Amino acid sequence: MSTTGADKARARELLEQGASLYEDGNLYDALGCWKEVLDLDPGNPIAEEYLRFVRESFQIDVDAFLTHQEEPPAAETLSPPEAGLDPPSTPGSVEVERMDWGQLLDEGPELLEDVPPVPEDLAESVDFFVDLQPGGLSSAPGEGAAAWGRQTVQLDEQYDSVEMSLDVSLASLEDQDPMTMPTSVFAQGAGDGKRQFAEDSVEILPELRDLGEDVSTARLAEIVRQGIAEIEGTGGGAGVPRALISAPNPATSADGLMAEARRRQQLGDFSGSLELVEQVLARDGEHEEARAFFEENRTRLFAMYRSRLGNLGHAPRVRLRQQEIVWQSLDHREGFILSQIDGRTSFEDVIQISGMDELDATRILARLVEHNVIG
Amino acid sequence: MERIIGIDLGTTNSCVAIMEGGVPVVLSNKGGYKTTPSVVAVSENGKRLVGHIAKRQAVTNATNTVYAAKRLMGRRWGSPSVRTMLETTPFTIVEGPNQDARVKLRDRVYSIPEISSIILQEMRLIAEEYTGEKIEKAVVTVPAYFNDAQRQATKDAGRIAGLDVLRIINEPTAAALAYGFGKNIDRTIAVYDLGGGTFDISILRIADGVFEVLATGGDTFLGGEDFDGRIIMDLLVLEFARAHQIDLRRDAMALQRLRDAAEKAKCELSSARETEINLPFIISTGGSEALHLQQPLSREKLEELTIDLVERTIKICRKTVEDAGEEIDDVLLVGGMTRMPLVQQKVKECFGIEPLRGVHPDEVVALGAGIQAAALLEDTQGVLLLDVTPHSLGIMIHGGLFSVLIPQNTTVPTAKSHIFTTVKENQTQVKIIVMQGQSERAAENELLGEFILTGLRPAPKGAVEVEVTFDINADGIVSVQAKNLDNGQQQAITVTATSGLSDEEMQTMIQENQDYLVDVRSAEEVEKTKLEAQRALMEIERVFPSVRDQLGGFDFGQDAIKKAEGVISRAKSAIEAGDMSAIKSSNEALGRTLNMFKGVLQRIG
């Protein structure tokens, strides 16, 4: 079967859609999208890479998983063993069974016997913090600046979903979030707070210690990213799955990052490529090729997100009732965009009034449309 | 038929009205709202935003959003209003070339009349949309206390917006007109106007079609936004901080949502006794969690939070009524805030009479302007306001005092003379300092101009007489002449109110505005054409699989499919590039392709 231009365009869209679904924690639909890409464009390397990543990370048979999802297991089976998000057993770590928290909470405490590592009063999420507290930037606690990064892996009520985010902050030691503990990896639930998960990450910090107080957030972000990659590389953050976006080993030099960015762009992974060139630009804002790639990736992503929105002059409405909205998994930026939807304001105007980067606002709208929250 | 619109150019909201079949009607904007926020912004990509859309991004794009520009209208750099604005507004105010205040949005500096012209233009477009005709003339309202410079600046704003402002009328006068106070009435009324950003109280005496302003008072920094502020600060932010130890004010998006929600809740509590503020996902915590804000608010609680603000307006009312020195026959309520039951109750208590509230308080001023506009067109309405001088005019005399030649509220045209004498021994010249204002102390009034009359005969003080004449013509232009009665020698100046804009600047701004309108219209046309192309493309792509099945088996069919694919691909490229002529030609090709496809499907069908 030959692949037409239209097929390729659709395949690119599906790749992005799959990545977006994956980021939202919807593994099942994400896999569906990538499988569809292979139907349209057999041998598409990026779809194969994504599927391989999922197979290896979660130790699952994708076809069986998809089939299984269509026929849910009996209640006592909790989860299919092949679909488990079982972290490798590491000394000092807490093993987290793959499980459906929503189901657990709904169906009663007797099922909790099957999930010993997680206390029953945990709510629907478990977070893992990789804390990069340097401790070397100020002479005494409470003085000067401290930096830390946080990588969050969230298992929400759909146990197969994984969401990762990275925050880097500058703050005085006194202002630290009490949940953030130095040089450790924690599993944290909304219930009783934190559980130690693994101890590692100290070794990645010497570079931070050498930085002055005027270090930029972008530079910190880059260092923290590298640090996290190192943790993942050493297996120190056992049980912390690598983010999909960083599935290939991240290149550390600008040339390496650019090479990977080029490859990603050729494969149609524009958001992956954009993220890499942003790293290059954080180091060198004048990098010409990175700037060109930055613009091109943004243009392509704009086109894709906009095609999902359709007519930008359309004034969308909220499709959910107030009480349903609070059950969505949104952050405050998405919450803000959602609050601007009133059936009178067009997509274009919402983007204008958001005060956000245009691409970010368009991406959020596209996601809200995809998830049927607005339309 | 030529139409003249009436515009209420407000500090916080603006409104436009027109006479329809003998009845004034307020016109709705594109969003269906009858008032439009007087807010102008420039977005990150350089797009000009006006009205609701500009207001809704006012917090997230604070430095590039101008609100309440009216407070700066006709004000000199260094005046108290400008100084207060400099301290309180997030947008940048800079000094203009003529000692006027200007604002900076992104990398461009705008004069205040230019900002107001953007709002007036929006009003004009609303009226043009409604009437389907080009509108070129308007009556615009201003506060009763506006001086000549501020009135002139308002007229200049109209000119930039392509509007000939035929008449500037006082807001309380317009409100009185809307309530039917006209030619055959002899009453003293109080107009209590509590808007979004300012509070004005005006006492008018209406007799024989002349609306005389007896006294005005107010606070240009007190309005509905302060009421919203209490809900935000003293309730929402405080309670949220108590519950979560998070200060919502630090997040621009959260603050914008708080403002919108507070205003909405306040409005709801004018009719309901209780409401609930619901803001899901208001802020994200350090982790992956987003918090919701849910806060009930009762009318009693709102009154408790804002009672001191209402009391402040009442205190000003009492003083203004005292200044006017007349019994009040009627009280009119103007401005959205007067819907608040507590405000109505306190006003009633203050004046001892039930306020009139038959006309929508947000629309009443625009309706009055619309009535006056129609009256200017043909005097069949029985209403014709006479122009009066808004302030007293006179000269500064010995001792720093202000000698009034033309008192406030004198109908124009008019001329008045007065004879002055020298105050020093052997004085050979006099300086005539022309001023306007209400204070007896010259320093507290506004300087309009000055000149020197020389060649006086050296003589003992008081021996030489100089006659000073003020003349105001029908266009409001003031001429001042000083004549040495000894020898007939004279000197004169003409005072023309200026908004701080030179003629050259005005011409440039008018041209720029016209160019802007052309750009906007052509961008709209591109969008429309693009939309047509996108619709045709969607339709073609929908039926393409069936057509392919039908035609794919034949050579000619394959050829047709190939051509159609070419048309689709060219149309997509043209849309992506935004190339107007290419999109237009694509539209024709898409139309032909669609017709052909439909023909094929009909044959199958």
Side-chain angles (χ1 to χ4, degrees):
Chain A
M1 188 181 94
S2 67
T3 307
T4 65
D7 287 344
K8 287 209 161 151
R10 175 70 186 142
R12 273 201 296 274
E13 257 183 52
L14 284 166
L15 276 175
E16 281 295 327
Q17 197 177 335
S20 163
L21 287 163
Y22 182 90
E23 283 169 18
D24 290 345
N26 187 346
L27 183 64
Y28 179 76
D29 289 336
L31 289 173
C33 283
W34 296 330
K35 290 283 284 175
E36 203 180 329
V37 170
L38 290 178
D39 291 343
L40 288 167
D41 182 12
N44 181 303
I46 197 93
E48 286 193 333
E49 189 177 311
Y50 283 167
L51 289 167
R52 188 174 59 250
F53 166 74
V54 171
R55 261 195 302 271
E56 288 171 4
S57 301
F58 302 124
Q59 302 289 302
I60 58 168
D61 176 329
V62 171
D63 291 329
F65 178 71
L66 288 172
T67 318
H68 182 77
Q69 287 276 349
E70 285 164 6
E71 294 169 8
E76 63 272 17
T77 318
L78 266 191
S79 63
E82 70 273 25
L85 183 63
D86 296 335
S89 185
T90 310
S93 74
V94 176
E95 288 199 358
V96 179
E97 281 278 339
R98 181 166 181 272
M99 63 198 76
D100 185 334
W101 295 102
Q103 190 182 20
L104 273 174
L105 294 171
D106 284 342
E107 295 199 21
E110 68 275 16
L111 289 172
L112 290 173
E113 290 170 14
D114 294 333
V115 283
V118 183
E120 67 180 80
D121 55 349
L122 285 188
E124 295 147 346
S125 69
V126 176
D127 290 345
F128 300 87
F129 295 159
V130 178
D131 194 306
L132 303 176
Q133 171 60 45
L137 285 179
S138 56
S139 53
E143 286 178 22
W148 67 87
R150 172 179 294 175
Q151 184 180 27
T152 303
V153 179
Q154 183 183 334
L155 308 179
D156 65 17
E157 61 189 2
Q158 277 191 307
Y159 56 86
D160 52 23
S161 74
V162 177
E163 192 171 299
M164 300 186 76
S165 64
L166 178 69
D167 294 323
V168 176
S169 315
L170 277 175
S172 75
L173 285 170
E174 284 177 343
D175 287 340
Q176 270 186 66
D177 179 342
M179 299 289 187
T180 311
M181 300 296 287
T183 63
S184 297
V185 181
F186 287 95
Q188 187 224 329
D192 71 344
K194 54 191 181 292
R195 302 188 112 219
Q196 190 156 6
F197 188 71
E199 283 193 26
D200 203 337
S201 81
V202 186
E203 292 310 307
I204 65 164
L205 296 169
E207 208 174 347
L208 272 180
R209 290 196 195 98
D210 298 331
L211 293 170
E213 288 181 13
D214 58 346
V215 59
S216 73
T217 307
R219 176 77 184 119
L220 277 171
E222 185 197 329
I223 293 166
V224 173
R225 273 168 212 259
Q226 285 174 8
I228 286 168
E230 280 184 47
I231 296 175
E232 288 168 357
T234 60
V240 182
R242 292 178 301 166
L244 183 65
I245 213 69
S246 58
N249 288 330
T252 48
S253 70
D255 287 347
L257 288 169
M258 280 312 300
E260 181 60 16
R262 278 191 289 275
R263 194 180 77 85
R264 295 248 164 183
Q265 196 190 64
Q266 279 164 5
L267 295 171
D269 178 12
F270 303 115
S271 54
S273 179
L274 180 64
E275 184 160 316
L276 291 162
V277 293
E278 277 174 343
Q279 286 183 42
V280 177
L281 288 172
R283 294 179 192 182
D284 174 12
E286 300 302 313
H287 195 294
E288 274 187 28
E289 193 192 3
R291 285 164 75 116
F293 266 62
F294 177 81
E295 286 305 326
E296 192 179 342
N297 284 324
R298 281 177 63 93
T299 307
R300 300 284 193 120
L301 286 168
F302 261 128
M304 277 159 60
Y305 295 140
R306 280 182 179 161
S307 75
R308 283 181 214 164
L309 296 181
N311 174 16
L312 287 183
H314 169 65
R317 290 178 181 282
V318 178
R319 292 195 159 168
L320 303 179
R321 285 172 300 169
Q322 183 75 28
Q323 55 268 43
E324 290 173 322
I325 287 173
V326 294
W327 294 108
Q328 298 297 306
S329 173
L330 305 180
D331 66 16
H332 73 293
R333 285 153 55 88
E334 291 163 326
F336 177 75
I337 292 273
L338 183 58
S339 73
Q340 304 303 310
I341 305 295
D342 57 5
R344 288 178 169 188
T345 312
S346 66
F347 282 126
E348 195 172 13
D349 287 346
V350 171
I351 293 167
Q352 292 286 351
I353 62 183
S354 69
M356 294 179 196
D357 174 75
E358 210 175 335
L359 182 61
D360 281 349
T362 314
R363 180 180 56 78
I364 290 174
L365 281 169
R367 282 178 67 177
L368 291 172
V369 167
E370 257 173 33
H371 291 214
N372 230 13
V373 178
I374 61 171
Chain B
M1 189 187 82
E2 187 185 32
R3 318 271 307 243
I4 308 177
I5 53 175
I7 300 174
D8 167 13
L9 179 61
T11 306
T12 316
N13 289 296
S14 294
C15 187
V16 57
I18 200 164
M19 199 64 108
E20 274 293 50
V23 182
V25 287
V26 163
L27 309 180
S28 303
N29 62 22
K30 275 184 191 164
Y33 300 100
K34 291 194 169 176
T35 59
T36 301
S38 305
V39 185
V40 174
V42 176
S43 70
E44 199 187 353
N45 59 8
K47 196 174 168 189
R48 186 194 282 180
L49 308 175
V50 194
H52 285 96
I53 185 169
K55 184 181 172 187
R56 286 171 60 179
Q57 53 88 73
V59 176
T60 54
N61 180 25
T63 52
N64 297 295
T65 304
V66 183
Y67 57 87
K70 189 173 165 183
R71 290 181 183 141
L72 295 171
M73 187 76 106
R75 303 276 187 193
R76 284 182 172 269
W77 181 257
S79 68
S81 280
V82 174
R83 281 204 301 273
T84 311
M85 290 282 275
L86 270 171
E87 284 164 16
T88 54
T89 56
F91 56 86
T92 309
I93 303 172
V94 296
E95 186 176 359
N98 310 315
Q99 289 83 53
D100 55 332
R102 300 196 176 191
V103 293
K104 193 173 178 195
L105 295 178
R106 301 277 168 203
D107 49 2
R108 212 198 127 178
V109 172
Y110 294 79
S111 69
I112 305 305
E114 261 182 296
I115 296 292
S116 298
S117 80
I118 294 171
I119 298 158
L120 287 177
Q121 181 160 280
E122 194 71 8
M123 299 293 106
R124 178 164 77 92
L125 295 176
I126 290 169
E128 287 183 352
E129 178 94 353
Y130 174 81
T131 59
E133 295 165 23
K134 193 159 173 56
I135 302 286
E136 290 173 321
K137 291 179 178 170
V139 168
V140 181
T141 60
V142 296
Y145 59 78
F146 255 28
N147 63 26
D148 274 358
Q150 291 170 302
R151 285 162 199 261
Q152 187 57 45
T154 307
K155 279 188 174 177
D156 284 353
R159 260 179 81 195
I160 300 168
L163 283 170
D164 180 8
V165 179
L166 295 180
R167 189 73 67 96
I168 296 276
I169 63 169
N170 291 332
E171 286 160 7
T173 303
L177 284 176
Y179 269 98
F181 292 94
K183 222 171 183 178
N184 305 315
I185 283 176
D186 189 352
R187 288 179 92 77
T188 301
I189 63 166
V191 181
Y192 177 100
D193 181 352
L194 186 56
T198 57
F199 167 64
D200 293 313
I201 172 78
S202 313
I203 313 295
L204 302 185
R205 165 136 196 90
I206 308 168
D208 300 326
V210 176
F211 289 64
E212 186 182 346
V213 180
L214 296 179
T216 62
D219 185 336
T220 49
F221 291 89
L222 171 60
E225 284 166 4
D226 299 287
F227 289 67
D228 301 344
R230 293 289 170 85
I231 299 176
I232 296 167
M233 294 302 306
D234 298 351
L235 183 72
L236 303 179
V237 168
L238 196 67
E239 292 300 324
F240 198 82
R242 271 192 192 135
H244 303 286
Q245 291 78 49
I246 291 175
D247 183 356
L248 288 176
R249 291 171 303 172
R250 290 189 182 179
D251 184 88
M253 283 183 225
L255 188 55
Q256 175 79 55
R257 291 179 70 185
L258 290 176
R259 280 202 182 176
D260 295 345
E263 188 182 356
K264 187 166 167 269
K266 177 188 72 182
C267 294
E268 283 170 359
L269 289 176
S270 287
S271 50
R273 296 206 72 88
E274 271 194 5
T275 186
E276 186 169 75
I277 296 167
N278 261 312
L279 297 171
F281 310 102
I282 182 87
I283 198 141
S284 293
T285 60
S288 55
E289 195 187 358
L291 299 172
H292 310 314
L293 183 149
Q294 200 168 17
Q295 179 71 50
L297 177 61
S298 67
R299 187 187 290 174
E300 285 69 31
K301 178 70 182 170
L302 174 65
E303 291 177 351
E304 182 194 317
L305 291 171
T306 58
I307 179 80
D308 61 310
L309 298 175
V310 181
E311 295 288 6
R312 248 166 82 187
T313 68
I314 297 301
K315 206 172 156 190
I316 298 169
C317 283
R318 292 211 171 94
K319 177 160 188 325
T320 311
V321 171
E322 203 182 301
D323 289 349
E326 282 202 29
E327 195 74 14
I328 305 295
D329 298 317
D330 294 295
V331 180
L332 311 188
L333 295 181
V334 177
M337 273 312 301
T338 61
R339 284 205 207 85
M340 187 176 181
L342 179 68
V343 170
Q344 295 177 359
Q345 179 201 326
K346 292 287 174 191
V347 170
K348 184 181 166 185
E349 284 169 17
C350 171
F351 290 96
I353 41 178
E354 190 73 47
L356 300 178
R357 50 186 130 155
V359 185
H360 202 299
D362 290 320
E363 301 167 9
V364 60
V365 172
L367 289 169
I371 292 170
Q372 176 64 18
L376 285 178
L377 205 58
E378 42 181 331
D379 190 22
T380 54
Q381 308 295 320
V383 175
L384 184 63
L385 292 182
L386 298 171
D387 266 340
V388 294
T389 54
H391 292 281
S392 300
L393 289 159
I395 61 169
M396 178 173 163
I397 56 166
H398 184 61
L401 299 175
F402 180 52
S403 173
V404 174
L405 274 92
I406 299 180
Q408 184 188 27
N409 292 318
T410 304
T411 53
V412 294
T414 186
K416 294 276 171 60
S417 293
H418 193 83
I419 294 170
F420 297 89
T421 60
T422 51
V423 290
K424 284 183 188 164
E425 303 291 331
N426 299 321
Q427 187 175 345
T428 57
Q429 57 181 34
V430 285
K431 194 175 191 181
I432 309 291
I433 299 172
V434 183
M435 315 195 83
Q436 71 172 4
Q438 300 314 117
S439 174
E440 287 177 1
R441 290 167 49 80
E444 288 172 5
N445 294 322
E446 194 188 351
L447 175 71
L448 295 179
E450 59 181 53
F451 63 95
I452 293 170
L453 178 66
T454 55
L456 304 186
R457 167 174 59 92
K461 63 178 178 184
V464 179
E465 291 184 332
V466 175
E467 184 187 54
V468 177
T469 305
F470 273 60
D471 189 316
I472 308 178
N473 70 12
D475 292 326
I477 294 170
V478 181
S479 302
V480 183
Q481 188 191 66
K483 187 177 177 184
N484 182 345
L485 293 179
D486 253 8
N487 57 13
Q489 195 181 359
Q490 57 185 41
Q491 190 67 259
I493 58 163
T494 301
V495 181
T496 314
T498 169
S499 64
L501 293 179
S502 66
D503 275 355
E504 204 176 302
E505 277 184 301
M506 279 289 293
Q507 288 311 322
T508 312
M509 286 170 191
I510 291 168
Q511 190 55 50
E512 279 175 357
N513 190 51
Q514 283 170 354
D515 293 347
Y516 173 80
L517 275 182
V518 169
D519 287 350
V520 167
R521 284 183 181 142
S522 70
E524 276 171 5
E525 205 189 333
V526 170
E527 242 355 89
K528 208 174 137 198
T529 319
K530 230 162 120 174
L531 204 61
E532 270 175 44
Q534 279 165 338
R535 282 198 187 123
L537 269 174
M538 269 169 63
E539 185 61 14
I540 289 173
E541 285 181 339
R542 190 180 64 80
V543 296
F544 210 145
S546 316
V547 174
R548 198 196 299 272
D549 288 349
Q550 287 304 312
L551 298 181
F554 311 100
D555 284 349
F556 77 90
Q558 283 172 359
D559 192 37
I561 287 170
K562 217 172 183 177
K563 278 186 182 161
E565 281 172 348
V567 168
I568 292 170
S569 150
R570 279 192 296 279
K572 283 184 174 170
S573 315
I575 291 170
E576 204 172 316
D579 181 342
M580 182 66 170
S581 65
I583 302 173
K584 270 187 174 166
S585 63
S586 285
N587 270 351
E588 288 165 19
L590 287 169
R592 284 195 297 273
T593 307
L594 191 56
N595 280 342
M596 191 269 278
F597 277 18
K598 280 180 180 165
V600 170
L601 292 176
Q602 268 168 8
R603 251 171 263 143
I604 314 165

